[in-house]
Amino acid sequence: MKEPTLKKVAYGIAMAIAIIIVHFVDVHVYPISPILALVLAIIITYLGVKFINKSDRFDKKISRSKYNLINALVVFVLFIAYFTIAQ
């Protein structure tokens, strides 16, 4: 595996944000069909990735332990946010 970069972490954060936004809209704003929710999450993730690719500040290399810690934190926040929104 190549050296971890901040860009790889940012991709995961963009996907997590897309999932949280779509779930929030589905629960609190307007019920969305599953296929539409999937398409909406893909579009939001795509826009996030495009933004990340245009920025040069995400090309920094980070240590593997920091990479794993940030990824674990993103998964934890996604888990908490998903169930908090559902209540």
Side-chain angles (χ1 to χ4, degrees), residues 42-76:
I42 289 171
I43 290 170
I44 294 171
T45 303
Y46 175 76
L47 293 174
V49 168
K50 287 299 253 183
F51 173 76
I52 291 165
N53 286 336
K54 287 186 180 193
S55 179
D56 292 334
R57 64 181 156 166
F58 293 110
D59 290 331
K60 297 178 191 172
K61 291 186 179 182
I62 57 174
S63 68
R64 192 166 305 279
S65 60
K66 192 177 212 181
Y67 174 78
N68 290 333
L69 182 66
I70 294 172
N71 278 332
L73 184 65
V74 168
V75 170
F76 179 72

Side-chain angles (χ1 to χ4, degrees), residues 3-61:
E3 283 297 312
T5 62
L6 206 52
K7 187 179 276 191
K8 291 180 183 179
V9 174
Y11 289 155
I13 292 171
M15 185 177 64
I17 289 171
I19 292 170
I20 291 170
I21 289 171
V22 169
H23 186 60
F24 179 80
V25 169
D26 186 36
V27 171
H28 293 291
V29 179
Y30 183 77
I32 304 173
S33 68
I35 192 72
L36 185 60
L38 178 65
V39 169
L40 189 59
I42 289 171
I43 290 170
I44 294 171
T45 303
Y46 175 76
L47 293 174
V49 168
K50 287 299 253 183
F51 173 76
I52 291 165
N53 286 336
K54 287 186 180 193
S55 179
D56 292 334
R57 64 181 156 166
F58 293 110
D59 290 331
K60 297 178 191 172
K61 291 186 179 182

